[in-house]
Amino acid sequence: MRVLLLGSGGREHALAWKIAQSSMLDELFIAPGNAGTRAHGTNVDIDTKDFQAVKALVLDKNIGIVVVGPEDLLVLGIHDFFLADEQLKNIPVIGPDKVGAQLEGSKDFAKQFMMRHNIPTAKYATFTKDTLNEGYEFLESMKPPYVLKADGLAAGKGVLILNTLKEAKAELKNMLADAKFGEASSRVVIEQFLKGIELSVFAITDGDSFKILPEAKDYKRIGEGDTGLNTGGMGAISPVPFADDTFKEKIKNQIIIPTVKGLKAEGIVYKGFIFFGLINVKGEPYVIEYNCRMGDPETEVVIPRLKSDILDLFEGVASGTLSERDILFDDRSACTVMMVSGGYPEEFQKGKQIYGLNAVTDSIVFHAGTTSDGPAVMSAGGRVLTITSFGKDLSVALRRSYETAEKIEFEDAYYRKDIGFDVL
Ligand code: AMP
Ligand code: GLY
């Protein structure tokens, strides 16, 4: 197969690393990719939101399948663009169409979908500028803390959790009347606060059958002990110790099956990954959010645990024969520890040279935000590198990642030293 992978983060490096191991691969292109992905294929520097540029690349390189990493391209309708184009319509795209991607692209759509299919989630109501007063009344009827969610994509920043009614009302007004998150907050979902521990569960579906991938837990806050600002993710572990078989059965029966069946029943042909952001409330799973793609940094622990050929799975998704494919996992524990630029998630500097990558022996280093300058690797984002290791248990895996982290250097590098602290 000739494969084009779209994206440039740690998730895409992990996918490229795995695709490159496939016996079915002829050639891999990554657009735009990063300094890590070039070890597994050819990086092509295009603006992936320019679908005409993607088309030109697909035709030029005779691509047979396109794998979409990030949500924005899916929400913008890249899959639909392929289906509507005479020259592209037979080239499969891994990732849902625009309607399916609304599971992530619109919180209100996702909530209504869950209501229609009886999928456990927090109680909610949705408001617009015209129903601001009803929004205030709804807040008055709830108990703190208050959860406000911008309906649309807001780069992970669109969820606010407020402790007082006064703050909640002020923020609701900010979002609806003053467009705090632009168009994304023209509608706001207010929901009941759920107390519990979160985990991420992933499935891949061809629109009919599905396979469940290993679950993971990510660490979103910048500071140790889960303190400080939210980030894109500072590390992850898989498996998740508290996700025992009973709990996973509940997730499958109460959440995954109704989701896949619900999509099909509504005529949504969903071909790709579904990310279930879940919370365990006293042993019962609830959906906090759906994403229409794999998680980052969860992919960097989930995909290394996948033993099966990923292109075989993708081919199953494309041809609607996923049920005939085998899926096997590594039983060992995996962890990943993210190295970020000092200052992230606020202001930070880029362009720092990274040293020590060649000294790594016991871990896999996935690049999250890097570029190359000749043979040198330079930081190019907030999240720079993530260090994945295996172990017979989580503590062994973590020790390996932390030993590797000591070998890698760039100016002002920072990483959390307590990944896994809450489950060890
Ligand atoms: P989201 O962008 O939907 O993942 O929300 C960001 C974070 O807000 C989640 O990872 C949770 O930690 C938190 N959160 C979202 N919804 C709720 C809720 N209903 N109850 C408690 N925490 C929530
Ligand atoms: N790690 C959470 C996400 O990818 O959205």
Side-chain angles (χ1 to χ4, degrees):
M1 274 192 229
R2 298 179 62 77
V3 182
L4 172 61
L5 169 64
L6 301 178
S8 63
R11 168 182 50 216
E12 287 75 27
H13 188 182
L15 288 167
W17 171 88
K18 184 68 186 170
I19 291 168
Q21 294 167 37
S22 171
S23 60
M24 295 162 70
L25 180 68
D26 292 312
E27 198 166 356
L28 173 62
F29 297 88
I30 309 102
N34 62 37
T37 60
R38 68 187 169 159
H40 311 295
T42 308
N43 286 350
V44 188
D45 192 15
I46 56 164
D47 172 8
T48 51
K49 284 189 185 154
D50 176 355
F51 295 164
Q52 292 297 344
V54 175
K55 174 178 175 178
L57 178 62
V58 164
L59 297 178
D60 179 44
K61 302 297 182 193
N62 197 16
I63 296 298
I65 187 166
V66 178
V67 181
V68 185
E71 65 278 10
D72 53 354
L73 303 178
L74 296 165
V75 172
L76 282 171
I78 193 162
H79 197 148
D80 312 68
F81 174 83
F82 272 66
L83 290 174
D85 188 289
E86 265 317 301
Q87 289 169 290
L88 301 180
K89 66 181 183 195
N90 295 320
I91 299 170
V93 174
I94 305 300
D97 67 6
K98 208 169 176 164
V99 182
Q102 287 299 295
L103 281 184
E104 176 166 2
S106 165
K107 303 269 188 203
D108 180 58
F109 175 94
K111 285 300 224 184
Q112 291 194 34
F113 177 85
M114 288 186 267
M115 291 297 137
R116 285 197 292 278
H117 301 288
N118 250 321
I119 296 166
T121 188
K123 289 194 193 65
Y124 84 105
T126 303
F127 300 94
T128 62
K129 197 160 77 176
D130 298 332
T131 55
L132 183 57
N133 284 323
E134 287 89 331
Y136 291 152
E137 283 167 30
F138 187 70
L139 283 171
E140 283 161 14
S141 74
M142 318 250 307
K143 280 190 277 200
Y146 304 92
V147 183
L148 306 186
K149 300 186 170 184
D151 178 60
L153 291 185
K157 297 191 174 72
V159 176
L160 301 178
I161 299 183
L162 294 320
N163 285 318
T164 67
L165 185 60
K166 197 173 160 212
E167 288 170 295
K169 284 183 173 175
E171 286 295 355
L172 183 66
K173 177 169 176 294
N174 263 337
M175 289 167 93
L176 289 176
D178 307 330
K180 176 168 183 153
F181 300 106
E183 181 56 28
S185 65
S186 62
R187 282 188 294 177
V188 171
V189 169
I190 301 180
E191 68 177 39
Q192 171 202 10
F193 180 83
L194 297 175
K195 198 167 164 41
I197 185 162
E198 290 175 58
L199 79 161
S200 308
V201 171
F202 306 91
I204 183 166
T205 177
D206 59 7
D208 190 24
S209 71
F210 64 88
K211 304 279 185 195
I212 303 175
L213 300 166
E215 77 285 358
K217 184 175 192 307
D218 80 339
Y219 291 81
K220 287 204 174 91
R221 303 293 198 94
I222 187 72
E224 286 168 13
D226 285 342
T227 54
L229 293 173
N230 255 324
T231 70
M234 295 297 294
I237 59 164
S238 177
V240 178
F242 67 81
D244 58 18
D245 287 347
T246 313
F247 188 61
K248 286 200 266 194
E249 262 314 284
K250 287 182 185 172
I251 293 171
K252 180 173 161 188
N253 293 324
Q254 296 168 21
I255 293 170
I256 301 178
I257 292 176
T259 299
V260 176
K261 274 195 176 161
L263 288 166
K264 189 177 176 197
E266 295 190 14
I268 300 171
V269 184
Y270 195 111
K271 287 177 175 287
F273 293 104
I274 312 177
F275 170 151
F276 303 86
L278 306 179
I279 188 162
N280 177 347
V281 183
K282 298 190 182 117
E284 297 302 322
Y286 288 79
V287 177
I288 290 272
E289 63 164 349
Y290 285 113
N291 294 313
C292 61
R293 44 147 180 113
M294 284 297 290
D296 194 354
E298 289 97 325
T299 304
E300 293 93 299
V301 287
V302 171
I303 290 298
R305 290 191 62 212
L306 175 66
K307 282 191 180 169
S308 315
D309 187 325
I310 199 166
L311 288 186
D312 184 53
L313 295 174
F314 287 160
E315 193 184 65
V317 170
S319 61
T321 57
L322 186 61
S323 63
E324 297 163 22
R325 316 286 161 143
D326 289 324
I327 190 157
L328 290 170
F329 306 112
D330 194 321
D331 289 332
R332 287 176 299 167
S333 290
C335 71
T336 200
V337 174
M338 189 70 72
M339 295 183 81
V340 304
S341 304
Y344 173 81
E346 297 183 284
E347 248 175 67
F348 58 84
Q349 291 186 350
K350 302 183 200 178
K352 307 288 184 195
Q353 186 164 353
I354 301 165
Y355 301 96
L357 291 169
N358 293 332
V360 175
T361 48
D362 291 340
S363 306
I364 311 164
V365 177
F366 292 120
H367 294 216
T370 62
T371 52
S372 40
D373 183 2
V377 176
M378 318 296 285
S379 68
R383 296 193 293 175
V384 177
L385 302 165
T386 190
I387 303 169
T388 295
S389 308
F390 280 109
K392 68 173 173 23
D393 59 31
L394 180 58
S395 50
V396 174
L398 284 163
R399 195 171 64 230
R400 293 200 168 117
S401 280
Y402 285 123
E403 280 168 8
T404 300
E406 289 195 0
K407 297 180 183 170
I408 299 175
E409 269 176 65
F410 56 92
E411 197 185 316
D412 279 339
Y414 167 78
Y415 55 91
R416 270 180 65 169
K417 303 206 174 48
D418 69 339
I419 299 304
F421 78 101
D422 53 341
V423 297
L424 276 177

